[in-house]
Amino acid sequence: MTPPLSVSDLRKSYGDHEVVAGLSFALRAGECFGLLGPNGAGKTTTLRCCLGLIRAESGTITLTGEPVPARAREARMRVGIVPQFDNLDPDFTCAENLVIYGRYFGLEDAAIRARIPELMDFAGLAGRERADIKTLSGGMRRRLSLARALVNDPELLILDEPTTGLDPQARHLIWDRLKQLLARGKTILLTTHFMDEAERLCDRIAVIDGGRIIGQGSPRQLIDTLIEPQVVEVYGENAPAWAAAEAGAFSPRVEISGETAFCYLADAETLLEHLARQPGLRTLHRPANLEDVFLKLTGRELRD
Amino acid sequence: MMALFSLRWIAVWRRNLLVWRKLAFTSVLGNLADPLIYLFGLGYGLGSLLSKVDGMPYLLFLASGSVCASTMNGATFEALYSAFSRMQVQRTWDAILNAPVSLEDVVIGEWVWAASKALVAGAAILIVLTIMNLVHSPLVLWSLPILFIVGLTFAALGLIVTTLAPSFDFFMYYFTLFVTPMTMLSGVFFPLDQLPPAVQTLAWLLPLTHGVALVRPLVLGVWPADIALHLAVLGATALAGLWLALHLARRRLLR
């Protein structure tokens, strides 16, 4: 079976700046694949190349079996896209948005209208067919964007930061719907910088930075292989000073961020005993998670 | 190259039609109000001071030119403000590009749409003139396809400006430096032979002049002279303008 999307040795530069620097990955049918990376890592550029919206300097892309960009339009027939910034049509109602969008796929109005109740129901928007887009909340808009992306019954769904800017309730609803789609056999490619989202949804993850993949595997594999299993976070005014002077004796790797020291280690017992005798330092002992992996791979500096 | 073009632009055109249908009454009222106020204000007011212009009452001279100018304005406003809003503010073009529709389809859809809306604006004025018994010959029907071509010409020029514009404010340059002087020089308000010879030569380089030269005689019920030349200028401007607008749109959006 051909993969829904495969990318090999993709390169794209703007001026001297190589935004995508030899990226290769392939999706398996029916999986959820996450592209993770800090701002400016090349995620959106990669997606735009995959859709044939920008031309890469080199590399090959096959999307739903079609070569991109040569047959990008045909490839997009079987892909649904939820963009990072909502671009629903504000001149129309919810139902009109779906009809108009379906026409871009060459679908007959009657065929689209027949699917509207199911799509609106899936989006948790049943009964709002005639509602104006301007009256919808952010979460409702995102769900309508998801419904719009399903209007052509795509085999592959691409979501660019699907829950950015949503409240927890709205995020959980989106996650639930994406899991339903996976259960129906759809393939999903998503970009995110929410690690809990990636850990919850993705079967496999590629962490990209500087236009390169710097870690790839299932969330569990990445945590097991790339990072120490335990983390002790130490807070307080004196935490940086303590970390600089003493933490090294207990923990092979210590990172300081503001007034917090992060100690990564295999066995936390002796460190915790030591910390119990330090007044003024508060501690949190927890298993390592995907965010720790992400920060280890991409560093703690701010990306703007 | 052929693979870039398809009939998918019709879906883009229909999208705009659906928006227009929601506001059609207001839109046509807007198409009519401004030109008719000028037409009758200037036509009767100023016209009463003049005996005849080019052998006809000034009202008729102005009316037959205004049809063309209104069509140009209709296409220009749609290709500037409305298209820019869809491209830059609402991100409608981005949404469409995620579907199996190319940027060429989007720009061509906008181009034909702006010309269609312009045709409505021009035709609305012709209907009013007919009701007022100012138009008598069936030849006027031939002005409709011409007005559509005038619409395509100015829609293409407008889309060039739109794909270059950083913001809405930019459009003021286009109006002040191009549209307004052209309207003055193209024979809408007074015959070209009132101008110094050098300025007349310049006037014949402006597409609106050729539009007026075709539409005015048809409204008055006579066949225009040099039909092929005028059509060639309008058609060439429309196609060259579209080609440039497509190029600029690719540079702006597909990077």
Side-chain angles (χ1 to χ4, degrees):
Chain A
M1 196 167 172
T2 50
L5 170 66
S6 75
V7 173
S8 94
D9 203 26
L10 189 71
R11 288 173 192 277
K12 173 74 189 170
S13 305
Y14 292 107
D16 289 339
H17 181 47
E18 198 168 37
V19 178
V20 181
L23 210 60
S24 303
F25 63 92
L27 272 57
R28 298 174 193 147
E31 77 171 340
C32 180
F33 188 90
L35 275 182
L36 273 60
N39 289 332
K43 299 187 298 289
T44 302
T45 306
T46 303
L47 288 187
R48 286 173 65 77
C49 286
C50 292
L51 294 172
L53 295 175
I54 46 180
R55 226 161 252 271
E57 270 99 56
S58 67
T60 51
I61 299 166
T62 311
L63 179 63
T64 66
E66 305 281 0
V68 171
R71 286 174 56 83
R73 183 161 37 189
E74 289 78 3
R76 293 203 298 270
M77 282 297 287
R78 289 184 283 156
V79 178
I81 292 149
V82 179
Q84 186 176 349
F85 302 104
D86 287 321
N87 54 24
L88 294 162
D89 216 318
D91 295 318
F92 297 124
T93 65
C94 294
E96 283 168 341
N97 259 281
L98 299 177
V99 172
I100 294 289
Y101 210 72
R103 285 179 185 169
Y104 299 140
F105 290 83
L107 299 173
E108 296 294 331
D109 284 14
I112 308 166
R113 285 187 202 287
R115 275 176 59 75
I116 285 179
E118 182 205 331
L119 290 170
M120 292 295 284
D121 195 45
F122 182 78
L125 293 168
R128 292 194 181 259
E129 283 78 3
R130 290 164 166 275
D132 216 52
I133 296 302
K134 297 173 193 96
T135 66
L136 301 184
S137 71
M140 288 166 149
R141 285 179 199 215
R142 199 61 57 91
R143 269 139 54 203
L144 186 61
S145 293
L146 179 59
R148 188 182 70 174
L150 297 171
V151 77
N152 57 324
D153 196 19
E155 60 187 70
L156 170 64
L157 201 60
I158 298 179
L159 305 105
D160 196 1
E161 298 187 18
T163 65
T164 298
L166 299 186
D167 64 24
Q169 287 84 352
R171 297 179 70 198
H172 278 273
L173 190 57
I174 294 274
W175 291 339
D176 172 66
R177 292 303 188 264
L178 295 182
K179 281 180 187 158
Q180 285 185 29
L181 290 170
L182 289 167
R184 288 190 214 165
K186 305 276 186 209
T187 310
I188 292 180
L189 170 63
L190 65 83
T191 75
T192 183
H193 32 232
F194 294 121
M195 296 305 133
D196 54 338
E197 179 164 287
E199 217 166 330
R200 223 174 267 256
L201 289 174
C202 295
D203 300 300
R204 287 190 306 140
I205 284 168
V207 180
I208 66 176
D209 198 15
R212 282 186 188 80
I213 292 183
I214 53 176
Q216 188 168 194
S218 74
R220 195 67 256 162
Q221 274 172 347
L222 292 177
I223 296 167
D224 289 347
T225 56
L226 291 177
I227 198 150
E228 302 80 355
Q230 305 207 27
V231 184
V232 177
E233 296 183 18
V234 184
Y235 308 93
E237 254 179 80
N238 305 325
W242 168 83
E246 305 196 49
F250 303 94
S251 175
R253 201 163 65 83
V254 179
E255 288 182 4
I256 300 168
S257 176
E259 288 192 351
T260 306
F262 294 84
C263 307
Y264 297 93
L265 65 185
D267 181 358
E269 208 172 322
T270 46
L271 172 60
L272 290 170
E273 279 168 16
H274 164 78
L275 285 168
R277 297 190 299 271
Q278 306 289 321
L281 290 178
R282 286 171 296 122
T283 62
L284 171 68
H285 176 209
R286 59 173 176 79
N289 61 29
L290 200 55
E291 184 144 328
D292 299 309
V293 175
F294 185 82
L295 288 169
K296 183 182 176 190
L297 290 174
T298 62
R300 286 186 182 270
E301 312 86 72
L302 271 185
R303 312 295 181 92
D304 294 309
Chain B
M1 195 64 183
M2 274 320 288
L4 290 175
F5 297 96
S6 74
L7 290 178
R8 215 42 72 69
W9 65 264
I10 294 171
V12 179
W13 184 88
R14 287 179 73 196
R15 180 228 164 260
N16 291 347
L17 177 70
L18 186 61
V19 182
W20 180 81
R21 270 174 41 194
K22 295 186 167 202
L23 306 159
F25 181 76
T26 329
S27 174
V28 173
L29 202 65
N31 290 153
L32 282 174
D34 227 33
L36 290 183
I37 289 165
Y38 273 94
L39 191 56
F40 293 110
L42 288 177
Y44 283 118
L46 193 60
S48 65
L49 301 173
L50 306 163
S51 49
K52 295 254 172 175
V53 177
D54 258 9
M56 68 192 92
Y58 184 61
L59 178 63
L60 202 52
F61 180 88
L62 182 61
S64 52
S66 293
V67 175
C68 222
S70 289
T71 305
M72 171 188 74
N73 282 331
T76 303
F77 272 95
E78 189 67 19
L80 294 183
Y81 292 93
S82 307
F84 187 81
S85 166
R86 291 190 281 269
M87 175 185 76
Q88 186 74 19
V89 185
Q90 298 177 189
R91 297 273 163 195
T92 310
W93 290 18
D94 287 348
I96 300 173
L97 291 174
N98 282 337
V101 177
S102 67
L103 184 58
E104 287 74 14
D105 297 322
V106 174
V107 173
I108 289 170
E110 292 282 358
W111 180 56
V112 180
W113 168 251
S116 309
K117 203 174 162 187
L119 174 63
V120 172
I125 295 178
L126 281 177
I127 289 169
V128 172
L129 297 181
T130 310
I131 292 168
M132 298 197 58
N133 207 22
L134 290 166
V135 173
H136 306 285
S137 162
L139 272 186
V140 72
L141 293 174
W142 281 105
S143 66
L144 296 175
I146 307 287
L147 289 175
F148 185 67
I149 293 170
V150 169
L152 287 175
T153 304
F154 289 100
L157 297 179
L159 285 169
I160 295 174
V161 181
T162 293
T163 47
L164 283 171
S167 73
F168 284 108
D169 300 324
F170 186 74
F171 299 145
M172 196 45 82
Y173 294 111
Y174 181 62
F175 280 106
T176 313
L177 299 176
F178 184 65
V179 175
T180 309
M182 178 171 60
T183 311
M184 281 298 148
L185 293 177
S186 56
V188 174
F189 294 106
F190 52 84
L192 284 182
D193 52 26
Q194 298 298 306
L195 295 166
V199 184
Q200 282 189 43
T201 313
L202 172 71
W204 282 110
L205 296 174
L206 301 169
L208 185 60
T209 313
H210 296 271
V212 172
L214 286 171
V215 173
R216 174 169 286 139
L218 290 170
V219 173
L220 300 172
V222 288
W223 280 107
D226 305 322
I227 296 177
L229 169 75
H230 299 313
L231 279 179
V233 172
L234 290 172
T237 310
L239 292 176
L242 177 67
W243 178 84
L244 184 55
L246 283 171
H247 171 77
L248 292 167
R250 281 185 212 112
R251 201 184 67 170
R252 178 174 186 138
L253 293 157
L254 300 186
R255 57 187 305 277

